[in-house]
Amino acid sequence: ASPFDKLRGASGQAWFSVPGSWFLVLGSWFSVLGSGNMPNNVPCCICGEPVEPPYSTLGQRVYCGRHFAEVNKPHPGFWRASAVQIIGMALFSALVAGLASFVGPLSGWGLIVVGVLMALVPSLLWLVFFYQQDRLEPEPKTKIAAVALLALLLTQAVGLPVINDLFQLDAWAGLNRTVALLASILIIGFTLQAIVYVAVRMVVYTTPEFDERMDGIVYGTVAGLGTAALLNLRYVLDNGGVALSYGVIQVVTVALAQASFGGLLGYFMAEARFTHRPIWWIPAGLTLSAVLNGLFRWLNVEVSVSGLSVNPWRSLLLGMVVALLAFGLLVFLMRRTTEVTRVRG
C-alpha cells in the first residue's frame, strides 16, 4: 500500500481534504516514507476505529477485524430473491395474461387502478421476498426505501424530462435503426444509469451501512427497481391504463432489465469502495451498464415487433434471459473476488 492511501480516514477521503492540514499530511508522508512502515493505530476505512498491527488490508485500505470479515460475506438471500424474482415474474405475467381473457376488457378508473397495482408489483415482490430470505441480518429498511424512493423521484424529476423534453426522442429517434440504437444507449441508457449511481451515492455509499461488497449489488438493484417503478407508473398513467395481457409483460420486462443493470453498476461501485481501483473504474462501470441498458431497450423493440404486429412474449423472454445472464455474471464475479481476497489474506 502506498503512503498516500494509508493517510485515509473512515470516510475514505484523504486528510488533506480539510483546509489548512497540508503540513500535517506532508509531515506524515515523509515520516512514512522514511520509516518504510505503516503508522500505528491506522483507522478502519469503514468505521474509523483505530486498528493495531498486524493490519488486515484489502486494495490498500485498512480494515478492523469485524469489517474485514464482513466485506466479502456471502449473501445467499439476495441470490435466492433474484432467482425467484425472475421466475416468479414470468409466472405472474402468465397468470395475469390468462386472467385477462376471463375478466374481459376493463375501462376507466378500473383499468388505471389495476394498471398502477400491476406496475408496482415487480418491485414490491422482490423487496418482500428479499427480506423474507434475509431476516437474520437484513439491510436497513430505511436505506433500502430511501434508495428506491430517490431513484423513483429522480426518474420523474430529471430522467424523463431529459429524455422527453430536452432531447425529444419521440420526434427523431425512430428515423432508422442506427439512430434508434444510438439514442437508446447515449440518452436513455446513460440517463437511467446515472440516476442509479446518484441514488446509491447520495443515500448509502459513504455510510457505515455500506460495509460489504454485496451491498453495492443490493442497493444498485434497489435503485434500478425504483427507476423501473416510475417508468411503469408513467407507462400506465400516460396511456390511461393498458391492456392487462400486454401491460403486465411490459412492466415485468422493464423491472427485470432495470434491476439487472442497476446491480451491475452497483458491483463496480462496491469494488471502487472496498479495493484500490483506478479513477476510470466507476465511469467504466457506468458506461458498460448504460450501453447494455440502451442495447436491451433497442433489442426489446426489435424482437417484439413482427411485421405490423407485436408479440410481447418475446420481450418477456428476452428480459428473463438478460436478467439470468446478468445475475449469473454477478454471482461469478462475487465468488471470484472473494476467492482472490481469501488467497491474498
Side-chain angles (χ1 to χ4, degrees):
S2 68
F4 186 85
D5 285 316
K6 296 164 190 172
L7 302 176
R8 294 182 180 270
S11 65
Q13 300 296 322
W15 293 350
F16 65 79
S17 61
V18 179
S21 60
W22 275 100
F23 291 107
L24 173 62
V25 173
L26 289 175
S28 301
W29 177 282
F30 288 116
S31 175
V32 172
L33 286 177
S35 64
N37 298 316
M38 296 181 68
N40 292 329
N41 297 328
V42 176
C44 170
C45 66
I46 299 296
C47 63
E49 294 295 325
V51 181
E52 297 181 354
Y55 301 107
S56 298
T57 61
L58 178 62
Q60 302 182 356
R61 289 181 171 87
V62 177
Y63 294 80
C64 65
R66 179 171 66 90
H67 284 112
F68 187 76
E70 289 182 352
V71 70
N72 291 309
K73 183 178 64 179
H75 215 296
F78 178 83
W79 303 122
R80 287 195 296 267
S82 300
V84 171
Q85 166 79 359
I86 296 170
I87 298 173
M89 285 300 93
L91 296 176
F92 172 74
S93 300
L95 177 62
V96 173
L99 290 175
S101 60
F102 292 99
V103 174
L106 300 175
S107 61
W109 282 104
L111 182 62
I112 295 177
V113 170
V114 172
V116 169
L117 294 175
M118 183 175 61
L120 296 175
V121 163
S123 299
L124 294 177
L125 179 64
W126 186 92
L127 293 173
V128 169
F129 187 83
F130 173 73
Y131 276 111
Q132 289 294 320
Q133 298 299 316
D134 200 37
R135 286 173 294 183
L136 293 179
E137 192 174 352
E139 298 300 326
K141 291 182 174 65
T142 54
K143 296 294 184 182
I144 290 286
V147 169
L149 180 60
L150 181 57
L152 185 150
L153 294 176
L154 287 174
T155 304
Q156 172 64 30
V158 179
L160 293 182
V162 167
I163 295 170
N164 298 328
D165 300 331
L166 180 61
F167 288 100
Q168 299 181 359
L169 257 62
D170 291 340
W172 56 270
L175 294 177
N176 56 62
R177 290 182 174 178
T178 302
V179 172
L181 174 60
L182 292 176
S184 183
I185 292 175
L186 297 177
I187 298 176
I188 300 178
F190 273 93
T191 299
L192 296 181
Q193 294 307 118
I195 289 172
V196 170
Y197 172 79
V198 171
V200 176
R201 177 80 187 186
M202 291 184 63
V203 174
V204 72
Y205 189 71
T206 58
T207 67
E209 284 80 9
F210 199 101
D211 58 0
E212 54 181 299
R213 277 194 175 103
M214 250 335 281
D215 287 344
I217 300 176
V218 170
Y219 287 111
T221 301
V222 168
L225 289 169
T227 300
L230 191 280
L231 293 175
N232 287 331
L233 281 173
R234 287 295 302 268
Y235 166 70
V236 171
L237 296 176
D238 292 348
N239 288 282
V242 293
L244 295 184
S245 58
Y246 178 81
V248 67
I249 296 175
Q250 170 70 14
V251 300
V252 166
T253 302
V254 170
L256 289 175
Q258 293 303 128
S260 302
F261 303 131
L264 181 61
L265 177 56
Y267 167 80
F268 278 84
M269 295 180 69
E271 281 293 292
R273 171 87 163 117
F274 298 114
T275 62
H276 185 70
R277 294 292 183 178
I279 193 173
W280 50 261
W281 179 258
I282 290 183
L286 177 62
T287 300
L288 175 62
S289 61
V291 170
L292 293 176
N293 195 331
L295 179 61
F296 170 81
R297 296 178 69 87
W298 180 80
L299 285 174
N300 186 37
V301 174
E302 293 293 316
V303 302
S304 63
V305 176
S306 177
L308 297 178
S309 63
V310 176
N311 187 346
W313 293 104
R314 294 180 183 177
S315 297
L316 179 61
L317 179 61
L318 177 63
M320 290 183 62
V321 170
V322 168
L324 288 171
L325 290 177
F327 283 104
L329 175 62
L330 291 174
V331 171
F332 169 77
L333 290 174
M334 285 296 297
R335 288 180 177 176
R336 180 176 178 274
T337 302
T338 301
E339 290 173 0
V340 169
T341 302
R342 288 175 178 172
V343 169
R344 289 178 179 176

